[in-house]
Amino acid sequence: MRLCHHFVNEELEYAVCEFGNDFAELSLHCADASLVEYALTHFKSESRRCEWLASRLLVKELRGDSAKVIYAPDGKPLLADASEYISISHTDGYVAVAFRKHRDVGVDIERRGAKVLKLRKRFMNVAEEDALDKADEQTSLLLHWSAKEAFYKIIGNRGGSFSDSFLISPFRLSDAGLFYISYMVQGAEIKRSEVSYIVASSYVLTISLA
């Protein structure tokens, strides 16, 4: 595993690691045999085993060997000692983890590629399309998708769709920055979140703050 990005301040910490899809090789970096065994017994595909184990290795690198991730009934990851909020995301060859001390956090990482151009109708609305930064449409679209995924991890399933109920305020694309996302019901804003983002050569990363 290779640490690609790491940010930390008094309230928030997040990191991105790159990993290979060779589970046997990745297992050599894990001192906890129970994690390796869990991945082998609970996931059928090599890639899914690697994603899961890589996320646990990154958590332990940032929080120590005693750190343990459990899951709420709705599938949301939690730290067993409840010391912080945690969010986890992975895409092809990358894993991201975010921690926040006093309020919830949602993180999402997406591999860059043209697939998002074909899926835009699933998550974009008319207002967002009109305000889209056309200088790099593909990356702008991917940030919209990623931010809605990160925000969803905070608000959960409240009904509606990514295109109808999530609204991202206009922003101009940069290598890093922030914008805002809202959850809307019948035109009224119910919840709003700040989203920080990073655009790397192979991925985009978004962090939604409750």
Side-chain angles (χ1 to χ4, degrees):
M1 290 178 61
R2 180 178 69 88
L3 188 64
C4 301
H5 185 85
H6 189 200
F7 171 89
V8 58
N9 63 22
E10 293 182 356
E11 174 69 15
L12 175 70
E13 182 173 9
Y14 57 85
V16 176
C17 262
E18 184 179 18
F19 63 92
N21 281 318
D22 184 334
F23 184 74
E25 195 278 332
L26 191 61
S27 299
L28 297 176
H29 299 277
C30 184
D32 188 341
S34 67
L35 294 179
V36 176
E37 182 64 23
Y38 184 95
L40 286 170
T41 56
H42 284 75
F43 306 108
K44 293 182 179 180
S45 73
E46 182 92 347
S47 61
R48 186 67 187 92
R49 288 170 177 171
C50 288
E51 288 172 351
W52 187 89
L53 185 58
S55 71
R56 297 318 188 264
L57 289 171
L58 182 53
V59 168
K60 288 185 177 298
E61 180 175 339
L62 298 175
R63 289 296 178 270
D65 288 339
S66 63
K68 182 180 180 181
V69 178
I70 59 175
Y71 287 94
D74 62 359
K76 190 171 184 175
L78 307 168
L79 286 176
D81 64 3
S83 59
E84 297 172 283
Y85 291 93
I86 183 174
S87 184
I88 299 171
S89 180
H90 43 72
T91 189
D92 182 24
Y94 293 94
V95 61
V97 173
F99 302 93
R100 198 178 184 200
K101 289 184 178 179
H102 302 298
R103 300 186 67 182
D104 208 353
V105 61
V107 67
D108 185 74
I109 187 167
E110 301 289 340
R111 169 78 78 161
R112 297 183 70 173
K115 183 180 178 180
V116 69
L117 297 171
K118 299 178 181 179
L119 302 176
R120 65 196 303 164
K121 290 183 179 180
R122 297 184 184 181
F123 62 92
M124 294 289 289
N125 56 57
V126 173
E128 290 168 341
E129 286 282 8
D130 289 344
L132 192 67
D133 190 340
K134 300 298 194 297
D136 186 346
E137 186 176 71
Q138 183 173 304
T139 303
S140 298
L141 283 170
L142 195 57
L143 282 170
H144 278 71
W145 168 255
S146 181
K148 293 183 180 187
E149 288 280 0
F151 190 39
Y152 182 84
K153 292 178 179 180
I154 292 178
I155 69 168
N157 184 9
R158 300 191 184 193
S161 67
F162 274 16
S163 59
D164 295 333
S165 299
F166 287 14
L167 177 64
I168 290 178
S169 300
F171 67 96
R172 287 294 165 234
L173 184 64
S174 183
D175 291 338
L178 64 86
F179 51 82
Y180 293 91
I181 184 171
S182 302
Y183 176 70
M184 314 291 292
V185 176
Q186 296 181 346
E189 183 182 77
I190 305 301
K191 190 172 181 65
R192 182 177 174 90
S193 170
E194 179 182 288
V195 178
S196 299
Y197 72 87
I198 296 166
V199 177
S201 59
S202 300
Y203 62 84
V204 301
L205 177 76
T206 56
I207 304 96
S208 177
L209 302 178

